[in-house]
Amino acid sequence: MTNKITSYSSSGGRKSSIARVHITNTNDKGSVLVNGTEPMKFFAQELLVKDMLLPLQVTNTLTKFDVRINVDGGGKSGQAGAARLAIAKTLVKVSKEYKELLRANGLLTRDARIKERKKYGLKAARKAPQFSKR
């Protein structure tokens, strides 16, 4: 009996970061690579790695799939958030059963918060020059 290897892919975004995820089902222990390196080496913060792998932990599929992630743009926090959304969207493609579980944990919603633009007459988006009455 041969096991058919299937691959699923999706993309996600957070701030100015974009992540593309490829998930392959294997009989392995399940490996995760971010831009060709280990997640802990790439992000250098355990909190970001845990946040990124949350969809796999919620669905209890951490060892079922090999995950390859390409992230681009933004900082490490935005990249981890983009990867988390992309993993969640890809898991929904794998099985519709995961959708309710991921939705209940808020993992299928894109975080729409982005940097607010600077306005004229101000020093930053909201910071104004010091007011002098006289």
Side-chain angles (χ1 to χ4, degrees):
M1 183 174 140
T2 60
N3 290 341
K4 185 180 178 189
I5 296 177
T6 55
S7 181
Y8 303 90
S9 64
S10 189
S11 64
R14 164 101 170 86
K15 293 185 177 181
S16 60
S17 300
I18 298 170
R20 289 172 296 282
V21 170
H22 302 281
I23 287 182
T24 310
N25 66 336
T26 59
N27 296 331
D28 247 12
K29 60 178 175 69
S31 65
V32 179
L33 292 177
V34 181
N35 286 359
T37 63
E38 295 176 23
M40 195 59 205
K41 231 180 217 184
F42 183 80
F43 289 114
Q45 289 184 25
E46 191 176 344
L47 185 68
L48 294 178
V49 175
K50 282 184 178 180
D51 182 46
M52 180 192 70
L53 297 177
L54 193 59
L56 293 170
Q57 290 173 346
V58 166
T59 56
N60 201 20
T61 55
L62 199 54
T63 58
K64 287 185 182 178
F65 300 108
D66 284 343
V67 183
R68 288 190 341 256
I69 305 166
N70 264 333
V71 288
D72 190 32
K76 298 293 183 186
S77 175
Q79 290 176 346
R84 183 180 76 175
L85 177 63
I87 290 171
K89 285 168 67 175
T90 310
L91 285 173
V92 170
K93 287 183 180 179
V94 171
S95 174
K96 300 292 181 195
E97 298 169 9
Y98 297 141
K99 187 171 186 174
E100 293 174 24
L101 191 59
L102 293 168
R103 177 73 64 198
N105 286 288
L107 298 173
L108 288 176
T109 306
R110 186 194 187 280
D111 192 347
R113 297 175 296 167
I114 57 170
K115 187 173 181 178
E116 190 174 341
R117 78 169 191 88
K118 182 190 177 300
K119 279 81 170 186
Y120 59 86
L122 301 180
K123 291 185 174 185
R126 298 184 184 199
K127 184 176 181 176
Q130 187 172 9
F131 175 75
S132 173
K133 197 167 190 177
R134 287 174 191 84

